[in-house]
Amino acid sequence: MMLIRYLSQIGRYFLMLKEIFNKQTKWSVMRNLIFKEIDDLIIDSLGIVCFISFFVGGVVAIQTALNLTNPLIPKYLIGFATRQSVILEFAPTFISVIMAGKMGSFITSSIGTMRVTEQIDALEVMGVNSLNYLVFPKIIALLLYPFVIGISMFLGIFGGWLAGVYGGFTTSVEFINGAQMEFIPFHIVYAFIKTLIFAMLLATIPSFHGYYMKGGALEVGKASTVSFVWTSVCIILFNYILTQLLLGS
């Protein structure tokens, strides 16, 4: 019974994706909606992303340094480990899970409140494709999400350099040499491919839970929690699949 319910929800999700791109809202209205979503979802997220990235990068560098107990192991590995950790996993995946909480809860609660207050029904009565009106601007706004992750990568490595050098664990030259050592440009491409797919999940899964919720204010809170859980699960699952596909071969 539970399996049938999950399959039904997955089917409804893909039908929602199809409906988002039908009967487009006119551009003069859509443009303003997109700028509003960029402000709400991207600009408002920069502060928390910068803060977390900087300090987690520092923690990665310090923990790497503290585990290099053998004096024969070169100190430049601190820079190497920080770069690899931040670019491959921390920035694209860990930040996306955090954004599932911040962005996802905001999206679900805002659309869910519109459902509860019958604003979505009013849009439908006026002949507006409510899914296109509400969800499409979020998808377009989150095309800028790789820009946020790029800042996260830079600040993570910078935080690692600051913690490593001023914590007395390594020198600036050693850290930078480690950060540049055996650099594979495809790792950046891999991180941004993951980021774009995570952005699609961040825009659509919370929207799905908000749009199809039923009940009152209490159910809005429950829908926000459920959307965070499922967005996080999908991000982790797709992270595994994409890592296997792009790096496993």
Side-chain angles (χ1 to χ4, degrees), residues 96-148:
S96 293
V97 171
I98 292 168
M99 288 300 105
K102 187 191 178 298
M103 285 184 194
S105 297
F106 173 78
I107 291 170
T108 304
S109 59
S110 60
I111 295 179
T113 302
M114 290 184 73
R115 171 63 74 190
V116 169
T117 55
E118 299 180 351
Q119 293 178 56
I120 292 176
D121 297 329
L123 286 171
E124 296 285 352
V125 168
M126 289 189 292
V128 176
N129 179 355
S130 56
L131 278 169
N132 178 261
Y133 184 87
L134 295 171
V135 184
F136 186 74
K138 293 173 174 56
I139 294 173
I140 299 300
L142 280 167
L143 291 176
L144 293 175
Y145 187 55
F147 168 72
V148 176

Side-chain angles (χ1 to χ4, degrees), residues 4 26 49 54 78 107 110 135 138 154 160 172 190-191 196 200 207 223 226:
I4 293 170
K26 60 183 180 179
V49 169
F54 181 81
I78 298 170
I107 291 170
S110 60
V135 184
K138 293 173 174 56
F154 170 77
S172 180
Y190 155 78
L196 280 170
M200 186 68 177
S207 297
V226 172

Side-chain angles (χ1 to χ4, degrees), residues 153-243:
M153 289 177 184
F154 170 77
L155 284 174
I157 295 170
F158 178 68
W161 172 80
L162 216 61
V165 173
Y166 290 96
F169 299 106
T170 182
T171 65
S172 180
V173 172
E174 283 177 324
F175 186 94
I176 292 169
N177 284 342
Q180 293 175 335
M181 186 181 70
E182 295 181 18
F183 176 65
I184 301 171
F186 181 71
H187 284 171
I188 299 285
V189 177
Y190 155 78
F192 283 133
I193 289 171
K194 283 205 304 186
T195 300
L196 280 170
I197 290 172
F198 294 164
M200 186 68 177
L201 296 175
L202 285 168
T204 55
I205 295 176
S207 297
F208 171 81
H209 285 282
Y211 189 85
Y212 290 108
M213 65 143 290
K214 294 174 182 175
L218 182 63
E219 279 70 25
V220 173
K222 287 180 180 177
S224 297
T225 304
V226 172
S227 82
F228 167 65
V229 171
W230 280 109
T231 307
S232 302
V233 167
C234 290
I235 286 170
I236 299 300
L237 184 62
F238 273 87
N239 183 45
Y240 173 80
I241 294 168
L242 291 168
T243 302

